Amino acid sequence: MSSQQQQPTGEPVYDDRVYRSSMGVVSGVLMLALLAWLCGDGVLRGSGDTPWISLAAALFLVPLVVAFTIRPAVFANDDRMRVRNPFRIIELPWAAVDAVRSGYSVEALAEGSKYQLWAVPVSLRERKKVNKQQLRGGGRTGGRDQAAPEAKSPVPAEPQRASADRIADELQGLAERGASRPGAQGSVSVRWSYEVIVPAVAGVLLLTVLLATG
């Protein structure tokens, strides 16, 4: 259950909902373990420039692996959405968001710009599977209901949605409900993630120098 905080205006603000790709996190952890094994072996057992090349490769590759697998996340509450992409962090107050849509990727449209939500990957295969299930389910008739018309009609279940489409719907709903809140006003802000960019650039420069002089 989400706890709530109190704004200066007196309106409650619930803790962030967090959206991220579990498969991305798992694959990132596995890739980091592989890098640790390979680069660690080069540092401990390598000779000549090999230990330095291994360290430079780790400095270059580890931030990129983290950036594209573990780092992406979307945080959303009643007032705004914070999108943490590989190299940028985007703050989107709900009043500035025009729409959140799901096509080949999940995107937020705000102030004439489009921002992709890396943490919510779209699976076309899952979407196709859900659509097939809906088509099969829509053609069925309930023989038991025909035999007992006096029975209470069941409440129709909500149509199934692919996970990315469902998340896009949830974020769109938050945007529509929160757009008028005092805390949801403001403009979109974008910040570069230098904590990822600087080590990766330093690593590739060091690796280039070592390979050129080796």
Side-chain angles (χ1 to χ4, degrees):
M1 181 180 295
S2 298
S3 60
Q4 60 184 30
Q5 303 169 346
Q6 202 74 17
Q7 273 192 329
T9 58
E11 293 187 53
V13 178
Y14 290 89
D15 290 342
D16 289 347
R17 304 184 189 187
V18 182
Y19 303 92
R20 66 196 323 155
S21 170
S22 56
M23 287 300 298
V25 173
V26 171
S27 62
V29 170
L30 293 177
M31 291 175 69
L32 289 176
L34 180 61
L35 279 174
W37 175 55
L38 293 174
C39 295
D41 185 70
V43 170
L44 296 175
R45 300 186 183 184
S47 58
D49 290 337
T50 301
W52 294 106
I53 292 175
S54 299
L55 286 174
L59 185 62
F60 167 54
L61 293 174
V62 168
L64 294 182
V65 170
V66 172
F68 284 98
T69 59
I70 298 175
R71 178 181 171 80
V74 174
F75 306 89
N77 59 28
D78 293 339
D79 286 340
R80 64 192 60 240
M81 171 169 61
R82 181 162 62 96
V83 180
R84 194 170 68 192
N85 281 344
F87 301 116
R88 297 193 302 175
I89 295 177
I90 304 106
E91 294 272 356
L92 298 125
W94 289 131
V97 175
D98 299 318
V100 180
R101 66 186 186 188
S102 175
Y104 292 106
S105 63
V106 177
E107 301 165 337
L109 306 180
E111 298 179 347
S113 298
K114 182 167 58 178
Y115 303 97
Q116 184 175 349
L117 279 57
W118 281 74
V120 189
V122 171
S123 172
L124 298 180
R125 182 178 180 182
E126 180 191 6
R127 184 182 288 165
K128 185 177 180 180
K129 181 179 179 181
V130 169
N131 290 338
K132 284 185 177 180
Q133 290 175 344
Q134 289 179 348
L135 288 174
R136 286 199 299 266
R140 295 175 182 172
T141 57
R144 183 177 300 177
D145 293 340
Q146 294 175 357
E150 70 279 0
K152 185 178 179 181
S153 300
V155 177
E158 292 186 3
Q160 285 187 318
R161 300 276 282 162
S163 58
D165 300 333
R166 176 180 51 79
I167 291 173
D169 290 345
E170 290 179 8
L171 294 174
Q172 177 64 29
L174 284 172
E176 292 173 355
R177 292 192 299 272
S180 60
R181 292 172 59 90
Q185 309 306 306
S187 300
V188 177
S189 65
V190 180
R191 178 178 70 83
W192 289 98
S193 301
Y194 293 105
E195 65 274 17
V196 173
I197 297 171
V198 171
V201 171
V204 73
L205 291 176
L206 181 59
L207 188 60
T208 300
V209 170
L210 290 171
L211 292 176
T213 59

